[in-house]
Amino acid sequence: MERIRKNVQEMSGYVPGEQPRNPDVIKLNTNENPYPATASIQELLAEISPEQLAKYPDPVCGELRTLLAERHGVGSARILVGNGSDEILALCLRAFVERDGVVGYFDPSYSLYPVLARIEGVRVKPVDLAEGFQWAMPEDYQASLFYLTYPNAPTGIAYDRERIRSFCGRFEGVVLIDEAYVDFAEMDCMDLAREYDNVLVARTFSKSYSLAGIRLGYVVGPSELIGALYKVKDSYNVSMLTQRIGLAALRDEACMRANVKKVVATRDRIIRELRARAFEVTESQANFLWVRPTKGSAESLFSQLKSRNIYIRYFPGPKTGEWLRISIGTDAQMDALLRMVDELTAIG
């Protein structure tokens, strides 16, 4: 008797970026923020008692939702807080896609989307990006749920907001705008979650807030859709510690904005530096770069850097195999990357 669902047997799981234990590694492979979160978190953790850990957390994250609602100009009934935005992506599949439904997303984009669809056993309908990784949505496109990544990953490109608005207005299914990297971009799409009855906007604390380790995300949208997500979420999906840390981060917005400003300045400098070294680099509005070496292969450069304790990300495949994704680290880390690139180029 088979004990594992057939679609689970046949699928491949999501492959996260490596988490090396070697402290000497320059880690530019998982889009983490290189700067620390608000210092008030240290004080908060010192105040946590063992007695508090014996109790369940607030199942609806009431205090956190109230603060987020104020931040985004909506009622708290229009917000759900999740165990990272990845949980929210999975909840959308459970709530909005029938077994014979279809899930859409850009190709290439976040590689978790098709994995989540296959877990649920639903069909996928990716939209191939055009030359230069530009978005060209077919006019007759239909799906139950579309993951629209803004800015996109792994390319870092932020598509035109009016095109996104137009798509949301004519699309019959649910649009989940995944804004994991939006704090590094010039604009966002949060107003579309307030305007349309089929649009949700998801955010995470992992990138701009420097809190990837606590797994905290949230989604804003119409109360009807948010209410459906509450029906299918886990009972206590966000820990007490995570909620408390999230509140501290939100109350120190200046710390996050200062970190974002540093990352963006470094990003723009490294774009210029790599282009001067004959790399092709997209116009990233995220905290990472999507680059193509014009001398040698992307896979070879990835391997050579890794052997020298500099980790970046390589995605094999016909659409991504000539490119590399490089997270933005500190200026010192990025300068070390440039020196190594120059050394490897000289060797080659």
Side-chain angles (χ1 to χ4, degrees):
M1 180 179 69
E2 293 289 351
R3 291 180 171 83
I4 301 173
R5 286 167 51 195
K6 184 177 179 181
N7 63 298
V8 174
Q9 291 183 53
E10 296 174 349
M11 65 177 278
S12 297
Y14 174 69
V15 180
E18 291 181 74
Q19 298 289 343
R21 296 183 180 275
N22 182 352
D24 296 327
V25 165
I26 295 177
K27 191 172 180 298
L28 307 174
N29 65 329
T30 51
N31 300 342
E32 294 146 330
N33 197 314
Y35 302 108
T38 173
S40 63
I41 292 173
Q42 193 68 47
E43 300 172 12
L44 181 157
L45 292 174
E47 297 171 358
I48 301 297
S49 68
E51 289 77 16
Q52 289 174 290
L53 299 178
K55 297 179 180 179
Y56 286 111
D58 177 358
V60 296
C61 304
E63 193 174 358
L64 195 52
R65 285 167 59 222
T66 297
L67 191 52
L68 288 167
E70 293 173 0
R71 186 70 47 89
H72 295 300
V74 298
S76 59
R78 299 186 63 173
I79 295 178
L80 177 137
V81 179
N83 179 24
S85 57
D86 285 353
E87 182 197 23
I88 291 162
L89 302 178
L91 290 177
C92 287
L93 268 160
R94 292 162 64 182
F96 307 131
V97 185
E98 302 284 0
R99 292 302 180 189
D100 60 352
V102 176
V103 174
Y105 47 86
F106 300 138
D107 185 16
S109 193
Y110 186 19
S111 56
L112 180 64
Y113 300 147
V115 173
L116 294 174
R118 291 178 183 121
I119 290 171
E120 295 296 322
V122 300
R123 290 183 295 133
V124 296
K125 191 177 180 181
V127 173
D128 290 336
L129 295 179
E131 185 177 353
F133 302 103
Q134 294 303 307
W135 172 29
M137 179 67 76
E139 288 296 325
D140 59 348
Y141 186 89
Q142 294 183 358
S144 312
L145 170 67
F146 193 85
Y147 293 120
L148 195 159
T149 322
Y150 181 89
N152 193 26
T155 66
I157 297 171
Y159 297 117
D160 181 72
R161 265 182 37 88
E162 290 309 308
R163 291 189 63 201
I164 295 174
R165 178 186 297 277
S166 176
F167 170 67
C168 292
R170 69 175 185 269
F171 187 66
E172 295 181 0
V174 173
V175 181
L176 186 287
I177 303 178
D178 186 351
E179 291 194 335
Y181 303 98
V182 80
D183 286 322
F184 303 97
E186 295 175 359
M187 302 180 72
D188 64 63
C189 297
M190 187 58 74
D191 60 315
L192 302 183
R194 296 188 290 261
E195 181 177 344
Y196 289 97
D197 63 5
N198 66 326
V199 176
L200 297 161
V201 172
R203 299 263 180 102
T204 179
F205 283 67
S206 295
K207 316 301 181 184
S208 58
Y209 283 97
S210 308
L211 290 172
I214 69 168
R215 312 307 302 130
L216 180 63
Y218 65 96
V219 61
V220 180
S223 55
E224 182 181 13
L225 298 184
I226 296 296
L229 295 176
Y230 270 101
K231 289 182 179 180
V232 298
K233 81 172 186 70
D234 291 342
S235 52
Y236 300 97
N237 62 323
V238 181
S239 77
M240 178 270 288
L241 285 172
T242 293
Q243 292 183 44
R244 295 277 297 274
I245 293 171
L247 284 166
L250 281 174
R251 288 168 178 155
D252 190 1
E253 188 83 358
C255 175
M256 182 272 279
R257 293 297 171 193
N259 285 345
V260 165
K261 185 176 180 180
K262 288 188 286 188
V263 168
V264 168
T266 303
R267 178 194 71 194
D268 294 346
R269 178 176 71 88
I270 299 303
I271 288 175
R272 295 191 298 270
E273 293 277 7
L274 287 174
R275 285 175 176 168
R277 289 163 170 78
F279 282 77
E280 183 177 348
V281 188
T282 61
E283 291 293 339
S284 175
Q285 290 201 32
N287 67 334
F288 57 84
L289 303 179
W290 187 235
V291 311
R292 186 174 73 88
T294 56
K295 299 177 182 178
S297 72
E299 184 175 14
S300 175
L301 181 56
F302 162 79
S303 298
Q304 291 179 82
L305 288 172
K306 184 176 179 180
S307 70
R308 291 160 173 81
N309 282 337
I310 298 178
Y311 281 43
I312 60 176
R313 195 78 191 268
Y314 175 66
F315 299 91
K319 297 177 183 177
T320 57
E322 295 182 356
W323 295 76
L324 297 165
R325 195 191 70 191
I326 304 173
S327 304
I328 300 300
T330 64
D331 282 311
Q333 289 173 328
M334 302 310 291
D335 288 340
L337 169 73
L338 292 175
R339 287 194 298 271
M340 188 55 65
V341 167
D342 290 341
E343 179 181 319
L344 292 171
T345 301
I347 294 173

